[in-house]
Amino acid sequence: MEVVMWLATNVFGPAILIGSIVLIGLLVQKKSASQTISGTFKAIIGFLIITAGSDIISAALTVFEPLWAEVFNLESESFSEYMGQEAFTGEYGSAVALAMTIGFILNVLIARFTRFKYIYLTGHMMFWTTTIFAGVIVQTAADVSFWQLVIFLAVIMGIYWTIQPAIVQPYMRKITGNDNIALGHTSASVSLLSAWAGKWLGNKENDSEKIKVPNGLEFLRDSNVITALTMGLLFMTGAIVVSFRDTPGAQELIASAGDQNFIVYALIQSFTFTAGIAVVLTGVRMFIGEMVPAFKGIATKIVPGAKPALDSPIVFPYAPNAVILGFLGAFIGGLIWLVVLGNAVGYVFVPTMIVLFFHGATAGVFGNATGGARGAVIGGFITATVVAWGQYIMVRMLLPDTIPDTAMWAADSDMFILGPIIRFLSQLLFG
């Protein structure tokens, strides 16, 4: 048993396991020694960068949550009571990596032997979805074994990665005008809802692309800028409110800034949060940039004629105005739900702009396809609604003791929709 534990900790740790998976994929494709070494090392480094970025984000959230808890007169919750992303990855990261790999193999096999010829290639979403679902499973069944977790996750992910692109493909054909590519992204649920809502509530004749967008709004396409701008606004608003209070909670928060002005301190925290996300995305791009080619090269040989299911930005060029309208609808909705959730159920919603931008923008394109400009805005608001209430349910009910910190910024639409189903199946199988 000691040997097994040593191997699990040192050989099959998540970073080394991911590197090994990429190594095998590159060797199977007979890549050169230079490509193999470079790809393997960059995958490992990228994964470790993700962990470092997660720590930066968590540190900023420990300020954001109590700041707005004070604004809403809520009892702030301590992050120290949660397992957290770093500890969770240390204990379950290998299971996540292995489940992701086996799930992808299952996706390829289903595509090979059924009419669903879709290969899911949005690697960073594969990683985060598997991680969040692992958090839900461990929360529900704490004594689940390593292999039970791996097999259950792999089956769920393999089926999801195959069926999700197929479900939205009818609308993708409408958007792209062909059947060459598919959407492989966790915004699929809000995209579908937006397409349906656009059909009933929108006006297809008033296409968003007929609208002239001012050049001054071009910055809305830069996710780092809008994240910094929005979180800066929220941090500073909360800091100003707290600065005029004389409660023990407000005094404790102000004291945490030390000699620095509290409003300036809060502003720096907003940029720290944005920097943390930028670090994570850098790691994701490096890690996925090596893993996806390793997967894709094998998959295309096994499944001739397969359609690649790709990241959400593939739809943006087809309706760039709808992208902005969808994000604006999501942004306004996020601010509304921040206030509503804070006052109604005592939860501080973290309106992560990365999620609201990419999901709101994608939903906007789908909403525009059936309901024009109005459908695009409605799609964005639907996105904010799903993300806000989904985050509340996920953090408070589905994984409060595992990785709620990660769910506040990395979990999103499809994860929120499928989370309760994952919990139900976990109770059924392991409860």
Side-chain angles (χ1 to χ4, degrees):
M1 181 58 70
E2 289 183 8
V3 174
V4 173
M5 292 303 296
W6 187 91
L7 288 172
T9 302
N10 297 281
V11 179
F12 294 106
I16 300 299
L17 180 59
I18 284 171
S20 302
I21 292 166
V22 172
L23 174 63
I24 292 169
L26 294 173
L27 289 174
V28 168
Q29 295 178 68
K30 299 180 180 179
K31 296 292 185 181
S32 68
S34 175
Q35 290 173 311
T36 301
I37 293 171
S38 174
T40 302
F41 282 17
K42 286 166 74 175
I44 295 172
I45 294 167
F47 184 80
L48 294 175
I49 289 174
I50 293 172
T51 302
S54 298
D55 292 342
I56 296 172
I57 294 168
S58 296
L61 285 176
T62 58
V63 178
F64 183 85
E65 200 278 337
L67 180 69
W68 278 90
E70 178 65 26
V71 171
F72 291 125
N73 295 313
L74 305 176
E75 184 177 343
S76 180
E77 298 178 50
S78 172
F79 274 86
S80 62
E81 297 176 5
Y82 311 141
M83 181 179 287
Q85 181 66 46
E86 184 177 1
F88 186 84
T89 298
E91 188 167 347
Y92 299 102
S94 297
V96 169
L98 201 55
M100 192 172 105
T101 305
I102 297 173
F104 179 78
I105 294 171
L106 183 58
N107 171 209
V108 172
L109 292 175
I110 296 173
R112 177 66 180 83
F113 295 108
T114 72
R115 62 187 180 89
F116 300 112
K117 305 294 183 183
Y118 302 98
I119 305 296
Y120 196 103
L121 295 174
T122 310
H124 63 289
M125 287 288 90
M126 295 168 72
F127 173 73
W128 289 120
T129 308
T130 308
T131 298
I132 292 296
F133 286 170
V136 174
I137 295 166
V138 172
Q139 174 75 44
T140 307
D143 58 346
V144 63
S145 72
F146 177 86
W147 284 109
Q148 284 176 325
L149 180 60
V150 168
I151 294 170
F152 178 56
L153 265 177
V155 170
I156 292 293
M157 301 320 303
I159 293 172
Y160 167 68
W161 290 332
T162 310
I163 300 301
Q164 179 265 294
I167 292 174
V168 299
Q169 192 62 11
Y171 293 104
M172 278 294 290
R173 286 193 288 266
K174 183 186 290 288
I175 291 167
T176 63
N178 58 60
D179 197 30
N180 298 331
I181 55 175
L183 176 69
H185 194 256
T186 49
S187 60
S189 55
V190 291
S191 297
L192 276 176
L193 291 172
S194 300
W196 295 339
K199 182 177 180 180
W200 293 104
L201 302 174
N203 179 6
K204 187 178 180 181
E205 302 305 315
N206 185 24
D207 191 280
S208 67
E209 302 319 294
K210 296 177 183 177
I211 302 171
K212 291 193 69 175
V213 178
N215 292 332
L217 293 179
E218 288 295 314
F219 73 92
L220 291 177
R221 291 194 172 100
D222 189 321
S223 60
N224 283 326
V225 173
I226 58 175
T227 297
L229 183 64
T230 307
M231 295 306 286
L233 177 64
L234 292 175
F235 266 96
M236 286 186 67
T237 301
I240 291 170
V241 172
V242 168
S243 295
F244 285 97
R245 290 192 174 176
D246 195 30
T247 63
Q251 291 174 357
E252 184 178 344
L253 281 166
I254 293 171
S256 67
D259 295 331
Q260 195 171 35
N261 178 272
F262 183 62
I263 296 175
V264 175
Y265 171 76
L267 181 62
I268 294 299
Q269 294 305 311
S270 71
F271 281 103
T272 301
F273 177 87
T274 306
I277 289 182
V279 170
V280 167
L281 293 180
T282 298
V284 167
R285 280 191 290 268
M286 185 181 291
F287 150 50
I288 295 305
E290 305 306 325
M291 178 163 276
V292 169
F295 280 167
K296 186 177 180 180
I298 299 169
T300 52
K301 293 179 181 179
I302 299 174
V303 190
K307 296 180 181 66
L310 304 171
D311 202 350
S312 60
I314 59 166
V315 303
F316 293 179
Y318 295 97
N321 289 349
V323 167
I324 294 178
L325 291 174
F327 168 65
L328 288 175
F331 174 70
I332 293 168
L335 295 182
I336 290 172
W337 290 123
L338 170 66
V339 175
V340 171
L341 283 167
N343 286 288
V345 295
Y347 175 73
V348 177
F349 167 51
V350 180
T352 308
M353 291 301 113
I354 293 292
V355 174
L356 291 182
F357 174 73
F358 285 103
H359 289 243
T362 306
V365 174
F366 276 75
N368 177 68
T370 59
R374 190 192 307 162
V377 175
I378 291 171
F381 188 81
I382 287 172
T383 299
T385 303
V386 170
V387 170
W389 285 96
Q391 187 185 110
Y392 163 66
I393 293 170
M394 182 73 77
V395 169
R396 285 286 181 85
M397 304 174 193
L398 298 184
L399 39 61
D401 301 322
T402 53
I403 46 173
D405 53 337
T406 305
M408 284 181 174
W409 63 269
D412 47 43
S413 305
D414 285 8
M415 303 182 208
F416 296 141
I417 297 292
L418 296 175
I421 298 174
I422 301 298
R423 177 175 179 170
F424 172 76
L425 292 175
S426 300
Q427 290 174 325
L428 200 64
L429 293 173
F430 313 121

